[in-house]
Amino acid sequence: MNNTREDKVSNKIRPKVLFFDVNETLLDLTVVKKQVGKALGGREDLLPLWFTTMLQYSLVTSASGQYKPFGHIGAAALQMVAANQDITITENEARTIISESMGNLPAHPEVKEALKELRNSGYKLVAFTNSSKDGLKKQFESAGLTEYFDELLSVEETGKFKPFTDTYAWGAKKMGIQSEECMLIAAHGWDVAGALWAGWRAAFISRPGQQNYPLAPKTEIVASDLKKVVDILVNYS
Amino acid sequence: MNNTREDKVSNKIRPKVLFFDVNETLLDLTVVKKQVGKALGGREDLLPLWFTTMLQYSLVTSASGQYKPFGHIGAAALQMVAANQDITITENEARTIISESMGNLPAHPEVKEALKELRNSGYKLVAFTNSSKDGLKKQFESAGLTEYFDELLSVEETGKFKPFTDTYAWGAKKMGIQSEECMLIAAHGWDVAGALWAGWRAAFISRPGQQNYPLAPKTEIVASDLKKVVDILVNYS
Protein backbone atom coordinates (compact mmCIF):
# COMPACT_ATOMS: atom_id res chain seq x y z
CA MET A 1 0.00 0.00 0.00
CA ASN A 2 2.74 2.38 0.99
CA ASN A 3 4.57 1.75 -2.26
CA THR A 4 1.45 2.37 -4.28
CA ARG A 5 0.97 5.71 -2.56
CA GLU A 6 4.57 6.77 -3.14
CA ASP A 7 4.33 5.80 -6.79
CA LYS A 8 1.26 7.95 -7.17
CA VAL A 9 2.96 10.87 -5.47
CA SER A 10 6.06 10.70 -7.63
CA ASN A 11 3.90 10.88 -10.76
CA LYS A 12 2.85 14.41 -9.83
CA ILE A 13 4.42 17.31 -11.65
CA ARG A 14 6.37 19.90 -9.68
CA PRO A 15 4.82 23.33 -9.25
CA LYS A 16 7.06 26.03 -10.81
CA VAL A 17 6.96 28.14 -7.64
CA LEU A 18 6.15 27.33 -4.02
CA PHE A 19 4.44 30.26 -2.29
CA PHE A 20 4.62 30.23 1.52
CA ASP A 21 2.22 31.84 3.90
CA VAL A 22 4.26 33.26 6.79
CA ASN A 23 2.51 33.70 10.17
CA GLU A 24 1.86 30.31 11.80
CA THR A 25 2.94 28.52 8.61
CA LEU A 26 6.66 29.33 8.95
CA LEU A 27 6.76 31.41 12.14
CA ASP A 28 5.77 30.21 15.61
CA LEU A 29 3.11 32.45 17.20
CA THR A 30 3.74 31.25 20.77
CA VAL A 31 5.43 34.58 21.66
CA VAL A 32 2.39 36.50 20.38
CA LYS A 33 0.15 34.33 22.51
CA LYS A 34 2.07 35.38 25.63
CA GLN A 35 2.22 39.09 24.77
CA VAL A 36 -1.34 39.41 23.50
CA GLY A 37 -2.53 37.28 26.42
CA LYS A 38 -0.80 39.67 28.82
CA ALA A 39 -2.53 42.66 27.17
CA LEU A 40 -5.83 40.80 27.63
CA GLY A 41 -5.38 40.48 31.38
CA GLY A 42 -3.78 37.02 31.24
CA ARG A 43 -6.45 35.53 28.94
CA GLU A 44 -4.10 33.61 26.62
CA ASP A 45 -7.10 31.47 25.66
CA LEU A 46 -8.42 34.50 23.73
CA LEU A 47 -5.58 34.37 21.17
CA PRO A 48 -7.63 32.39 18.60
CA LEU A 49 -10.50 34.87 18.96
CA TRP A 50 -8.14 37.82 18.45
CA PHE A 51 -6.43 36.20 15.45
CA THR A 52 -9.77 35.24 13.86
CA THR A 53 -11.15 38.75 14.48
CA MET A 54 -8.05 40.22 12.80
CA LEU A 55 -8.57 37.98 9.76
CA GLN A 56 -12.31 38.74 9.68
CA TYR A 57 -11.71 42.49 9.75
CA SER A 58 -8.96 42.31 7.12
CA LEU A 59 -11.66 40.91 4.82
CA VAL A 60 -14.26 43.41 6.06
CA THR A 61 -11.82 46.15 5.03
CA SER A 62 -11.12 44.65 1.59
CA ALA A 63 -14.81 43.84 0.99
CA SER A 64 -15.57 47.52 1.56
CA GLY A 65 -12.99 48.59 -1.02
CA GLN A 66 -10.73 50.03 1.69
CA TYR A 67 -7.13 49.34 2.65
CA LYS A 68 -5.42 49.53 6.04
CA PRO A 69 -2.07 47.94 6.97
CA PHE A 70 -2.54 44.41 8.32
CA GLY A 71 -0.79 45.36 11.59
CA HIS A 72 -3.24 48.22 12.16
CA ILE A 73 -6.14 45.83 11.64
CA GLY A 74 -4.56 43.41 14.11
CA ALA A 75 -4.24 46.26 16.63
CA ALA A 76 -7.89 47.30 16.10
CA ALA A 77 -8.97 43.68 16.61
CA LEU A 78 -6.98 43.58 19.84
CA GLN A 79 -8.73 46.75 21.04
CA MET A 80 -12.13 45.17 20.27
CA VAL A 81 -11.42 41.83 21.96
CA ALA A 82 -9.98 43.70 24.98
CA ALA A 83 -13.01 46.03 25.20
CA ASN A 84 -15.25 42.95 25.48
CA GLN A 85 -13.21 42.04 28.58
CA ASP A 86 -13.64 45.61 29.92
CA ILE A 87 -9.99 46.33 29.17
CA THR A 88 -9.17 49.59 27.41
CA ILE A 89 -6.13 49.58 25.11
CA THR A 90 -5.31 52.75 23.17
CA GLU A 91 -4.59 52.59 19.44
CA ASN A 92 -0.92 53.39 20.04
CA GLU A 93 -0.54 50.76 22.75
CA ALA A 94 -2.24 48.15 20.58
CA ARG A 95 -0.05 48.94 17.57
CA THR A 96 3.10 48.71 19.70
CA ILE A 97 2.04 45.33 21.12
CA ILE A 98 1.27 43.91 17.67
CA SER A 99 4.36 45.32 15.99
CA GLU A 100 6.70 44.11 18.75
CA SER A 101 5.19 40.67 19.11
CA MET A 102 4.57 39.90 15.42
CA GLY A 103 7.96 41.36 14.40
CA ASN A 104 10.09 38.98 16.43
CA LEU A 105 8.78 35.46 15.92
CA PRO A 106 11.07 32.44 15.68
CA ALA A 107 10.65 29.91 12.87
CA HIS A 108 8.96 26.61 13.75
CA PRO A 109 11.71 24.08 14.63
CA GLU A 110 11.60 22.07 11.37
CA VAL A 111 11.34 25.03 9.00
CA LYS A 112 14.94 25.92 8.11
CA GLU A 113 16.01 22.34 7.40
CA ALA A 114 12.89 21.80 5.31
CA LEU A 115 13.40 24.98 3.28
CA LYS A 116 17.05 24.04 2.66
CA GLU A 117 15.97 20.64 1.37
CA LEU A 118 13.49 22.26 -1.03
CA ARG A 119 16.16 24.61 -2.38
CA ASN A 120 18.66 21.79 -2.79
CA SER A 121 15.99 19.89 -4.64
CA GLY A 122 15.70 22.79 -7.10
CA TYR A 123 12.47 24.47 -6.01
CA LYS A 124 11.90 28.22 -6.27
CA LEU A 125 10.56 29.59 -2.96
CA VAL A 126 8.50 32.75 -2.46
CA ALA A 127 7.08 34.24 0.75
CA PHE A 128 3.49 35.44 0.24
CA THR A 129 1.88 37.24 3.16
CA ASN A 130 -0.88 39.58 4.29
CA SER A 131 1.67 41.44 6.44
CA SER A 132 3.21 44.60 5.00
CA LYS A 133 6.39 44.38 2.91
CA ASP A 134 8.36 46.14 5.66
CA GLY A 135 6.86 43.88 8.33
CA LEU A 136 7.73 40.79 6.31
CA LYS A 137 11.36 41.90 5.84
CA LYS A 138 11.67 42.56 9.57
CA GLN A 139 10.11 39.19 10.44
CA PHE A 140 12.42 37.27 8.08
CA GLU A 141 15.57 39.06 9.24
CA SER A 142 14.65 38.40 12.86
CA ALA A 143 13.88 34.71 12.21
CA GLY A 144 16.88 34.21 9.87
CA LEU A 145 14.75 33.07 6.92
CA THR A 146 15.65 35.66 4.27
CA GLU A 147 18.40 33.60 2.61
CA TYR A 148 16.05 30.72 1.78
CA PHE A 149 13.70 32.73 -0.45
CA ASP A 150 13.89 33.92 -4.05
CA GLU A 151 11.29 36.63 -3.48
CA LEU A 152 9.38 38.24 -0.61
CA LEU A 153 5.84 39.25 -1.63
CA SER A 154 3.31 41.20 0.41
CA VAL A 155 -0.23 41.52 -0.90
CA GLU A 156 -0.25 45.18 0.15
CA GLU A 157 0.60 46.04 -3.46
CA THR A 158 -2.82 44.67 -4.49
CA GLY A 159 -4.74 46.73 -1.92
CA LYS A 160 -6.57 43.56 -0.85
CA PHE A 161 -5.87 40.71 1.53
CA LYS A 162 -5.71 36.96 0.98
CA PRO A 163 -7.92 35.05 0.23
CA PHE A 164 -9.27 37.52 -2.37
CA THR A 165 -8.75 35.82 -5.74
CA ASP A 166 -7.03 38.97 -7.05
CA THR A 167 -4.15 38.49 -4.62
CA TYR A 168 -3.27 35.00 -5.91
CA ALA A 169 -3.65 36.17 -9.52
CA TRP A 170 -1.24 39.00 -8.73
CA GLY A 171 1.26 36.62 -7.10
CA ALA A 172 1.29 34.35 -10.16
CA LYS A 173 1.68 37.31 -12.53
CA LYS A 174 4.46 38.77 -10.39
CA MET A 175 6.40 35.51 -10.80
CA GLY A 176 5.58 35.35 -14.51
CA ILE A 177 3.70 32.04 -14.33
CA GLN A 178 0.18 30.63 -14.72
CA SER A 179 -2.12 29.93 -11.76
CA GLU A 180 -1.90 26.16 -12.21
CA GLU A 181 1.91 26.37 -11.95
CA CYS A 182 1.66 27.86 -8.42
CA MET A 183 1.41 25.98 -5.14
CA LEU A 184 0.52 27.63 -1.84
CA ILE A 185 1.86 26.09 1.37
CA ALA A 186 -0.11 27.33 4.39
CA ALA A 187 -1.32 26.36 7.84
CA HIS A 188 -4.64 28.18 7.35
CA GLY A 189 -7.74 26.58 5.86
CA TRP A 190 -8.93 29.93 4.47
CA ASP A 191 -5.65 30.55 2.63
CA VAL A 192 -5.58 27.08 1.10
CA ALA A 193 -9.25 27.44 0.11
CA GLY A 194 -8.64 30.82 -1.53
CA ALA A 195 -5.62 29.49 -3.44
CA LEU A 196 -7.50 26.42 -4.70
CA TRP A 197 -10.47 28.55 -5.79
CA ALA A 198 -7.99 30.83 -7.61
CA GLY A 199 -6.75 27.84 -9.61
CA TRP A 200 -3.57 27.22 -7.61
CA ARG A 201 -2.44 23.94 -6.12
CA ALA A 202 -2.05 23.80 -2.33
CA ALA A 203 -0.51 22.00 0.63
CA PHE A 204 -2.09 22.35 4.08
CA ILE A 205 0.07 22.13 7.21
CA SER A 206 -2.27 20.94 9.94
CA ARG A 207 -0.53 22.68 12.85
CA PRO A 208 -2.25 22.49 16.25
CA GLY A 209 -5.40 24.64 16.29
CA GLN A 210 -5.61 24.80 12.47
CA GLN A 211 -8.28 23.15 10.31
CA ASN A 212 -9.00 22.84 6.62
CA TYR A 213 -12.26 24.54 5.48
CA PRO A 214 -14.79 21.72 5.01
CA LEU A 215 -16.54 23.51 2.10
CA ALA A 216 -13.36 24.04 0.06
CA PRO A 217 -12.00 21.77 -2.71
CA LYS A 218 -9.69 18.97 -1.52
CA THR A 219 -6.05 19.86 -0.89
CA GLU A 220 -3.50 17.55 -2.60
CA ILE A 221 -1.13 17.51 0.41
CA VAL A 222 -2.09 17.55 4.09
CA ALA A 223 0.66 16.99 6.66
CA SER A 224 1.33 18.00 10.25
CA ASP A 225 4.57 19.94 9.66
CA LEU A 226 6.65 21.41 6.84
CA LYS A 227 9.21 18.57 6.86
CA LYS A 228 6.44 16.09 6.02
CA VAL A 229 5.18 18.32 3.21
CA VAL A 230 8.73 18.52 1.84
CA ASP A 231 9.15 14.72 1.96
CA ILE A 232 6.28 14.53 -0.52
CA LEU A 233 7.32 17.49 -2.69
CA VAL A 234 10.88 16.29 -3.30
CA ASN A 235 9.43 13.13 -4.83
CA TYR A 236 7.41 15.08 -7.41
CA SER A 237 8.86 14.72 -10.87
CA MET B 1 -26.84 70.50 27.56
CA ASN B 2 -29.51 67.93 27.07
CA ASN B 3 -31.71 70.40 25.20
CA THR B 4 -28.87 71.41 22.93
CA ARG B 5 -28.24 67.78 22.05
CA GLU B 6 -31.90 67.12 21.33
CA ASP B 7 -32.10 70.21 19.16
CA LYS B 8 -29.15 68.96 17.14
CA VAL B 9 -30.70 65.55 16.77
CA SER B 10 -34.04 66.88 15.58
CA ASN B 11 -32.29 68.81 12.83
CA LYS B 12 -31.25 65.55 11.20
CA ILE B 13 -33.20 64.35 8.19
CA ARG B 14 -34.97 61.00 8.35
CA PRO B 15 -33.54 58.14 6.30
CA LYS B 16 -36.11 56.92 3.73
CA VAL B 17 -35.67 53.30 4.79
CA LEU B 18 -34.30 51.68 7.96
CA PHE B 19 -32.50 48.40 7.19
CA PHE B 20 -32.14 46.02 10.13
CA ASP B 21 -29.50 43.39 10.60
CA VAL B 22 -31.17 40.35 12.19
CA ASN B 23 -28.98 37.98 14.23
CA GLU B 24 -27.93 39.60 17.53
CA THR B 25 -29.36 42.96 16.39
CA LEU B 26 -33.04 41.91 16.66
CA LEU B 27 -32.78 38.28 17.78
CA ASP B 28 -31.26 37.07 21.05
CA LEU B 29 -28.51 34.48 20.48
CA THR B 30 -28.55 33.11 24.05
CA VAL B 31 -30.26 29.90 22.86
CA VAL B 32 -27.55 29.37 20.25
CA LYS B 33 -24.91 29.82 22.93
CA LYS B 34 -26.41 26.95 24.91
CA GLN B 35 -26.88 24.60 21.92
CA VAL B 36 -23.56 25.34 20.27
CA GLY B 37 -21.86 25.20 23.67
CA LYS B 38 -23.35 21.75 24.23
CA ALA B 39 -22.02 20.57 20.86
CA LEU B 40 -18.60 21.88 21.89
CA GLY B 41 -18.52 19.73 25.03
CA GLY B 42 -19.92 22.42 27.33
CA ARG B 43 -17.53 25.17 26.14
CA GLU B 44 -20.09 28.00 25.90
CA ASP B 45 -17.14 30.42 26.10
CA LEU B 46 -16.27 29.35 22.53
CA LEU B 47 -19.44 30.92 21.06
CA PRO B 48 -17.69 34.19 20.07
CA LEU B 49 -14.92 32.19 18.36
CA TRP B 50 -17.47 30.10 16.44
CA PHE B 51 -19.51 33.16 15.43
CA THR B 52 -16.39 35.08 14.34
CA THR B 53 -15.12 32.04 12.41
CA MET B 54 -18.51 31.81 10.64
CA LEU B 55 -18.30 35.49 9.66
CA GLN B 56 -14.67 35.16 8.59
CA TYR B 57 -15.44 32.17 6.36
CA SER B 58 -18.52 33.83 4.87
CA LEU B 59 -16.10 36.51 3.61
CA VAL B 60 -13.49 33.92 2.61
CA THR B 61 -16.19 32.33 0.44
CA SER B 62 -17.29 35.64 -1.14
CA ALA B 63 -13.69 36.83 -1.61
CA SER B 64 -13.05 33.65 -3.60
CA GLY B 65 -16.02 34.33 -5.88
CA GLN B 66 -17.94 31.37 -4.40
CA TYR B 67 -21.33 31.12 -2.72
CA LYS B 68 -22.55 28.74 -0.01
CA PRO B 69 -25.64 29.21 2.17
CA PHE B 70 -24.79 31.12 5.36
CA GLY B 71 -26.11 28.23 7.50
CA HIS B 72 -23.76 25.78 5.78
CA ILE B 73 -20.83 28.10 6.48
CA GLY B 74 -21.92 28.32 10.12
CA ALA B 75 -22.02 24.52 10.29
CA ALA B 76 -18.54 24.24 8.71
CA ALA B 77 -17.21 26.77 11.23
CA LEU B 78 -18.72 24.71 14.03
CA GLN B 79 -16.97 21.59 12.70
CA MET B 80 -13.65 23.48 12.62
CA VAL B 81 -13.94 24.94 16.13
CA ALA B 82 -15.03 21.53 17.45
CA ALA B 83 -12.13 19.73 15.72
CA ASN B 84 -9.72 22.05 17.54
CA GLN B 85 -11.24 20.70 20.78
CA ASP B 86 -10.81 17.11 19.49
CA ILE B 87 -14.56 16.84 18.98
CA THR B 88 -15.79 15.38 15.70
CA ILE B 89 -19.11 16.69 14.40
CA THR B 90 -20.36 15.42 11.03
CA GLU B 91 -21.59 17.85 8.38
CA ASN B 92 -25.18 16.66 8.86
CA GLU B 93 -25.02 16.98 12.65
CA ALA B 94 -23.53 20.45 12.40
CA ARG B 95 -26.17 21.64 9.91
CA THR B 96 -28.94 20.32 12.13
CA ILE B 97 -27.53 22.08 15.20
CA ILE B 98 -27.19 25.40 13.35
CA SER B 99 -30.56 25.20 11.63
CA GLU B 100 -32.42 24.27 14.82
CA SER B 101 -30.69 26.80 17.05
CA MET B 102 -30.58 29.75 14.62
CA GLY B 103 -34.13 29.10 13.40
CA ASN B 104 -35.84 29.55 16.75
CA LEU B 105 -34.44 32.66 18.40
CA PRO B 106 -36.59 35.01 20.45
CA ALA B 107 -36.44 38.78 19.84
CA HIS B 108 -34.50 40.85 22.36
CA PRO B 109 -36.96 42.13 25.02
CA GLU B 110 -37.21 45.74 23.79
CA VAL B 111 -37.44 44.96 20.08
CA LYS B 112 -41.19 44.65 19.34
CA GLU B 113 -42.17 47.81 21.22
CA ALA B 114 -39.34 49.71 19.52
CA LEU B 115 -40.31 48.51 16.04
CA LYS B 116 -43.96 49.43 16.67
CA GLU B 117 -42.90 52.94 17.69
CA LEU B 118 -40.88 53.33 14.49
CA ARG B 119 -43.82 52.22 12.35
CA ASN B 120 -46.23 54.53 14.18
CA SER B 121 -43.74 57.32 13.57
CA GLY B 122 -43.94 56.63 9.80
CA TYR B 123 -40.69 54.81 9.13
CA LYS B 124 -40.34 52.11 6.49
CA LEU B 125 -38.62 49.03 7.96
CA VAL B 126 -36.67 46.38 6.05
CA ALA B 127 -34.88 43.28 7.36
CA PHE B 128 -31.47 42.86 5.72
CA THR B 129 -29.55 39.70 6.57
CA ASN B 130 -26.76 37.31 5.57
CA SER B 131 -29.08 34.39 6.40
CA SER B 132 -30.96 32.77 3.51
CA LYS B 133 -34.40 34.10 2.51
CA ASP B 134 -36.04 30.89 3.79
CA GLY B 135 -34.06 31.03 7.02
CA LEU B 136 -35.06 34.65 7.56
CA LYS B 137 -38.77 33.92 7.02
CA LYS B 138 -38.58 31.03 9.48
CA GLN B 139 -36.75 33.17 12.06
CA PHE B 140 -39.25 36.02 11.80
CA GLU B 141 -42.30 33.74 12.00
CA SER B 142 -40.84 32.01 15.05
CA ALA B 143 -39.99 35.31 16.78
CA GLY B 144 -43.25 37.03 15.73
CA LEU B 145 -41.51 39.88 13.91
CA THR B 146 -42.92 39.51 10.37
CA GLU B 147 -45.77 42.01 10.80
CA TYR B 148 -43.42 44.89 11.64
CA PHE B 149 -41.53 44.85 8.34
CA ASP B 150 -42.28 46.19 4.87
CA GLU B 151 -39.77 43.87 3.23
CA LEU B 152 -37.53 40.92 4.13
CA LEU B 153 -34.25 40.97 2.21
CA SER B 154 -31.56 38.30 2.17
CA VAL B 155 -28.24 39.07 0.48
CA GLU B 156 -28.26 35.57 -1.03
CA GLU B 157 -29.66 37.15 -4.21
CA THR B 158 -26.37 39.03 -4.62
CA GLY B 159 -24.21 35.91 -4.24
CA LYS B 160 -22.08 37.78 -1.66
CA PHE B 161 -22.28 38.46 2.04
CA LYS B 162 -22.34 41.69 4.00
CA PRO B 163 -20.17 43.75 4.33
CA PHE B 164 -19.33 43.55 0.60
CA THR B 165 -20.23 46.97 -0.83
CA ASP B 166 -22.28 45.29 -3.56
CA THR B 167 -24.76 43.96 -0.99
CA TYR B 168 -25.64 47.44 0.34
CA ALA B 169 -25.85 48.84 -3.20
CA TRP B 170 -28.25 46.01 -4.06
CA GLY B 171 -30.38 46.70 -0.94
CA ALA B 172 -30.72 50.38 -1.84
CA LYS B 173 -31.59 49.58 -5.46
CA LYS B 174 -34.11 46.96 -4.36
CA MET B 175 -35.92 49.62 -2.34
CA GLY B 176 -35.63 52.13 -5.18
CA ILE B 177 -33.59 54.68 -3.23
CA GLN B 178 -30.10 56.20 -3.14
CA SER B 179 -27.36 55.00 -0.77
CA GLU B 180 -27.45 58.17 1.29
CA GLU B 181 -31.19 57.66 1.92
CA CYS B 182 -30.51 54.29 3.63
CA MET B 183 -29.69 53.68 7.28
CA LEU B 184 -28.43 50.37 8.63
CA ILE B 185 -29.21 49.45 12.23
CA ALA B 186 -26.89 46.70 13.48
CA ALA B 187 -25.17 45.32 16.56
CA HIS B 188 -22.04 44.41 14.56
CA GLY B 189 -19.10 46.74 13.99
CA TRP B 190 -18.30 45.09 10.64
CA ASP B 191 -21.84 45.61 9.32
CA VAL B 192 -21.95 49.25 10.34
CA ALA B 193 -18.48 49.78 8.85
CA GLY B 194 -19.50 48.19 5.55
CA ALA B 195 -22.69 50.26 5.37
CA LEU B 196 -20.85 53.53 6.07
CA TRP B 197 -18.18 52.72 3.47
CA ALA B 198 -21.00 51.96 1.01
CA GLY B 199 -22.36 55.50 1.54
CA TRP B 200 -25.20 54.54 3.91
CA ARG B 201 -25.93 56.09 7.29
CA ALA B 202 -25.77 53.76 10.30
CA ALA B 203 -26.77 53.20 13.92
CA PHE B 204 -24.74 50.86 16.10
CA ILE B 205 -26.41 48.92 18.93
CA SER B 206 -23.65 48.25 21.44
CA ARG B 207 -25.04 44.98 22.79
CA PRO B 208 -22.83 43.05 25.26
CA GLY B 209 -19.83 41.53 23.49
CA GLN B 210 -20.17 43.83 20.46
CA GLN B 211 -17.76 46.61 19.47
CA ASN B 212 -17.55 49.21 16.75
CA TYR B 213 -14.58 48.79 14.35
CA PRO B 214 -12.00 51.39 15.41
CA LEU B 215 -10.77 51.94 11.81
CA ALA B 216 -14.25 52.66 10.37
CA PRO B 217 -15.88 56.09 9.89
CA LYS B 218 -17.85 57.39 12.89
CA THR B 219 -21.41 56.13 13.32
CA GLU B 220 -24.06 58.85 13.84
CA ILE B 221 -25.97 56.86 16.50
CA VAL B 222 -24.50 54.55 19.14
CA ALA B 223 -26.82 53.23 21.85
CA SER B 224 -27.02 50.14 24.04
CA ASP B 225 -30.40 48.84 22.83
CA LEU B 226 -32.93 49.37 20.05
CA LYS B 227 -35.33 51.42 22.20
CA LYS B 228 -32.60 54.02 22.74
CA VAL B 229 -31.86 54.13 19.01
CA VAL B 230 -35.58 54.65 18.35
CA ASP B 231 -35.78 57.50 20.90
CA ILE B 232 -33.29 59.36 18.72
CA LEU B 233 -34.77 58.39 15.33
CA VAL B 234 -38.33 59.51 16.13
CA ASN B 235 -36.96 63.00 16.76
CA TYR B 236 -35.43 63.22 13.28
CA SER B 237 -37.34 65.63 11.07
Side-chain angles (χ1 to χ4, degrees):
Chain A
M1 282 297 280
N2 204 29
N3 263 348
T4 313
R5 183 151 182 273
E6 279 183 13
D7 287 342
K8 263 189 201 166
V9 162
S10 63
N11 286 334
K12 293 228 175 171
I13 293 166
R14 290 185 168 216
K16 282 201 179 164
V17 173
L18 300 176
F19 293 79
F20 288 80
D21 176 52
V22 174
N23 298 313
E24 190 69 347
T25 299
L26 299 175
L27 302 179
D28 183 352
L29 294 178
T30 309
V31 184
V32 181
K33 192 169 178 174
K34 292 226 165 84
Q35 287 180 266
V36 167
K38 201 175 146 197
L40 293 171
R43 293 288 305 276
E44 287 186 18
D45 61 300
L46 290 174
L47 190 90
L49 181 59
W50 162 69
F51 203 81
T52 304
T53 304
M54 169 169 69
L55 294 169
Q56 180 203 356
Y57 275 86
S58 72
L59 298 184
V60 165
T61 307
S62 291
S64 300
Q66 307 293 316
Y67 186 79
K68 312 276 179 190
F70 194 60
H72 290 193
I73 296 171
L78 181 60
Q79 289 181 283
M80 295 168 83
V81 173
N84 282 336
Q85 303 298 319
D86 295 321
I87 296 169
T88 303
I89 305 181
T90 66
E91 186 174 273
N92 276 343
E93 285 167 350
R95 288 184 184 178
T96 303
I97 293 164
I98 298 307
S99 149
E100 286 180 359
S101 59
M102 296 291 281
N104 294 292
L105 302 171
H108 284 292
E110 85 285 7
V111 162
K112 286 183 190 174
E113 203 54 48
L115 293 174
K116 197 191 283 179
E117 203 178 330
L118 284 175
R119 284 191 73 88
N120 289 344
S121 173
Y123 273 106
K124 186 176 268 192
L125 311 187
V126 171
F128 186 56
T129 184
N130 273 338
S131 298
S132 66
K133 187 121 190 169
D134 284 349
L136 172 60
K137 275 187 192 160
K138 192 182 161 200
Q139 284 184 314
F140 268 30
E141 278 162 23
S142 165
L145 291 184
T146 315
E147 61 181 289
Y148 299 98
F149 286 85
D150 297 277
E151 192 90 50
L152 306 187
L153 299 183
S154 157
V155 297
E156 78 181 333
E157 270 192 50
T158 72
K160 291 182 183 177
F161 292 107
K162 292 188 290 178
F164 271 78
T165 302
D166 294 355
T167 61
Y168 303 98
W170 170 83
K173 200 174 165 198
K174 193 90 180 168
M175 297 308 296
I177 58 177
Q178 301 300 310
S179 300
E180 62 272 22
E181 297 169 329
C182 303
M183 176 182 273
L184 179 78
I185 299 177
H188 298 290
W190 52 268
D191 205 354
V192 161
L196 292 169
W197 274 323
W200 286 25
R201 295 162 68 184
F204 176 64
I205 307 183
S206 56
R207 297 205 184 275
Q210 301 301 328
Q211 302 294 331
N212 240 328
Y213 181 32
L215 304 183
K218 290 275 171 249
T219 309
E220 74 180 75
I221 299 175
V222 177
S224 60
D225 67 34
L226 184 57
K227 178 69 177 74
K228 289 176 186 142
V229 172
V230 170
D231 288 344
I232 296 170
L233 283 173
V234 294
N235 283 317
Y236 278 18
S237 55
Chain B
M1 282 295 281
N2 205 27
N3 262 348
T4 314
R5 184 154 180 271
E6 279 182 15
D7 287 342
K8 263 191 201 164
V9 162
S10 62
N11 285 334
K12 292 226 177 172
I13 292 166
R14 290 184 169 218
K16 282 199 179 164
V17 173
L18 300 176
F19 293 79
F20 288 81
D21 176 52
V22 174
N23 298 312
E24 189 69 348
T25 300
L26 299 176
L27 302 179
D28 182 351
L29 293 179
T30 309
V31 184
V32 182
K33 191 169 179 174
K34 293 226 165 84
Q35 287 180 265
V36 167
K38 200 176 146 197
L40 294 171
R43 293 288 305 275
E44 287 187 17
D45 61 299
L46 290 174
L47 190 89
L49 181 59
W50 163 69
F51 202 81
T52 304
T53 304
M54 170 169 68
L55 295 169
Q56 180 203 355
Y57 275 86
S58 70
L59 298 184
V60 165
T61 307
S62 291
S64 301
Q66 306 294 316
Y67 186 80
K68 313 276 178 190
F70 194 61
H72 290 194
I73 295 170
L78 181 59
Q79 290 181 282
M80 294 168 85
V81 173
N84 282 335
Q85 304 298 319
D86 294 322
I87 296 170
T88 304
I89 305 180
T90 66
E91 186 174 273
N92 277 343
E93 285 167 350
R95 288 184 183 178
T96 303
I97 293 164
I98 298 307
S99 147
E100 286 181 358
S101 59
M102 296 292 280
N104 295 293
L105 303 171
H108 283 292
E110 86 285 7
V111 161
K112 287 183 189 175
E113 204 53 49
L115 293 173
K116 197 192 283 181
E117 204 178 330
L118 284 174
R119 283 191 74 88
N120 290 343
S121 172
Y123 274 107
K124 185 176 270 193
L125 312 187
V126 171
F128 186 55
T129 184
N130 273 340
S131 297
S132 66
K133 187 121 191 169
D134 284 350
L136 172 61
K137 274 186 192 161
K138 192 182 162 200
Q139 284 183 314
F140 268 31
E141 278 163 23
S142 165
L145 291 184
T146 315
E147 62 181 291
Y148 300 98
F149 287 85
D150 297 278
E151 193 90 50
L152 307 188
L153 298 182
S154 157
V155 297
E156 77 180 336
E157 270 191 51
T158 71
K160 291 183 183 177
F161 293 107
K162 292 187 291 177
F164 271 78
T165 302
D166 293 356
T167 61
Y168 304 98
W170 170 83
K173 199 174 166 197
K174 193 90 181 169
M175 297 308 296
I177 58 177
Q178 300 299 311
S179 299
E180 61 272 22
E181 297 169 328
C182 303
M183 176 181 273
L184 179 78
I185 300 177
H188 298 290
W190 53 267
D191 205 353
V192 161
L196 292 169
W197 274 323
W200 287 26
R201 295 163 67 185
F204 176 63
I205 308 182
S206 55
R207 297 205 184 275
Q210 301 301 328
Q211 302 294 331
N212 241 328
Y213 180 32
L215 304 182
K218 290 276 170 248
T219 309
E220 75 180 76
I221 299 175
V222 176
S224 59
D225 66 34
L226 184 58
K227 179 70 177 74
K228 289 177 186 141
V229 172
V230 170
D231 288 345
I232 296 170
L233 284 173
V234 293
N235 283 317
Y236 277 17
S237 55

